[in-house]
């Protein structure tokens, strides 16, 4: 059988800082591609939001994670030169650098090879709502 | 020549917090696939352990790295909401978000294109021993 | 049409700690491969430098980012066991673990699917100039 590929893009609306589960949206696109084995790549087209794989069971994990990043990179303009886009913009770039812009996940027997407790999240770092665009690439057979 | 792919999974036992070299296990599987050029992807199916590429020469680097993460995300329950799985669980999720869940490495002339000092490690963040499952995807010819 | 792949390596000279834009060099190699759709992977063969996708508009973002990492992982030998390669070496390994060693980016209609403000940077963590080697893998059709 011959390897093939597919590309896709979708947009998610965020309601300010926090984690947004995009696992379902990604899985439903992958399911429609008739690829049983392969590799899925998720790429976020932004520098003030990012991607993380995190526990999908206790929502407190997501709140603690956000709090941690606020402690490490506070919205304190006295710490940064780049303040023209608001006190939360430079911290957002830092938080994006500390997490991920891209994830690749094997596809096995028609499913993403995620662990039982793994979800894929957009981590919105800006305090106001944003539209975030995700590019997907799927390779397989 | 036509591109092909292969999938594989293996499990590693950790003995608590620290870094565990999985380079040899990955290389030996890649060597058996008769792929001379391509791309290998390593995906860890957990949210309280992660992957890092680090120096494989001085073991002090690995100890300092672990100490750094303990300083940045202390096992202090007063800092977190999510404490039901023990004082080291939420710090583990933070440490995982700060490092990587997935790595892709080109394969060139039959070998992973790692630098001379680069090793691939599972970074166990929990203090007790765990079984950790790795999913591999190899593409190439 | 059949999927194909290409491998490439290039070297960049850094002038000490800071971010170095390699987007143009990567794009010009991709443009020469006659691949209109696919996936590009960038892998850095070092453990004291790393890769980040960051804003390419205001250079203050890059300076603030470097300052942040200097605050989080100071060049203070009293914090580390591994000091034989200089006070900036262990902080460099920490900074590399906190950012990325590898990035994969979809290629769509002949172009990298980067967002408008996204650039690909080598983040040099050592204070002295270094030669840094990048391995590229391109898959597509």
């Amino acid at each position: 059988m011959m390897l093939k590929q597919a590309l896709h893009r979708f947009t998610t609306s965020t309601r300010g800082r926090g984690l947004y589960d995009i696992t379902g949206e990604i899985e439903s696109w992958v399911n429609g591609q008739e690829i049983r084995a392969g590799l899925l790549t998720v790429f976020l087209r932004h520098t003030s939001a990012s991607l993380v794989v995190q526990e999908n069971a206790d929502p407190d994990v997501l709140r603690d994670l956000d709090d941690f990043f606020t402690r490490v990179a506070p919205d304190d303009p006295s710490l940064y030169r780049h303040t023209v886009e608001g006190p939360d913009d430079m911290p957002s770039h830092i938080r994006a650098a500390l997490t991920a812009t891209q994830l690749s996940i094997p596809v096995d027997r028609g499913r993403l090879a995620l662990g039982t407790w793994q979800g894929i999240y957009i981590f919105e770092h800006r305090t106001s709502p944003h539209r975030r665009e995700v590019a997907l690439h799927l390779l397989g057979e």
Side-chain angles (χ1 to χ4, degrees), chain A:
Chain A
M1 209 163 146
M2 223 167 79
L3 290 175
K4 61 180 182 174
Q5 66 176 5
L7 291 163
H8 182 57
R9 292 197 190 180
F10 70 91
T11 304
T12 293
S13 294
T14 67
R15 302 170 303 280
R17 198 165 272 178
L19 291 109
Y20 299 85
D21 193 339
I22 55 171
T23 319
E25 179 135 16
I26 291 170
E27 280 176 338
S28 91
W29 177 73
V30 170
N31 290 342
Q33 300 312 305
E34 300 185 349
I35 279 177
R36 301 288 301 162
L39 186 71
L40 173 79
T41 298
V42 187
F43 183 83
L44 189 68
R45 304 183 71 233
H46 304 278
T47 62
S48 59
S50 56
L51 298 172
V52 283
V53 172
Q54 268 298 318
E55 185 185 297
N56 54 15
D58 180 359
D60 277 349
V61 168
L62 307 181
R63 290 187 204 106
D64 284 341
L65 197 68
D66 189 54
D67 283 359
F68 167 80
F69 283 98
T70 303
R71 275 199 301 278
V72 165
D75 290 351
D76 174 353
S78 77
L79 291 170
Y80 313 111
R81 294 173 188 83
H82 176 79
T83 55
V84 287
E85 295 178 67
D88 62 318
D89 190 61
M90 192 57 224
S92 297
H93 293 305
I94 292 169
R95 293 158 68 120
L98 290 171
T99 51
T101 298
Q102 166 265 326
L103 289 169
S104 294
I105 305 163
V107 177
D108 197 356
R109 285 154 284 176
R111 296 172 55 96
L112 293 178
L114 290 168
T116 314
W117 311 109
Q118 287 183 314
I120 308 168
Y121 294 87
I122 290 183
F123 200 168
E124 175 61 71
H125 301 304
R126 300 302 306 269
T127 53
S128 60
H130 278 75
R131 301 274 290 163
R132 299 305 191 177
E133 197 179 4
V134 176
L136 300 180
H137 177 271
L138 179 62
L139 161 81
E141 62 196 318

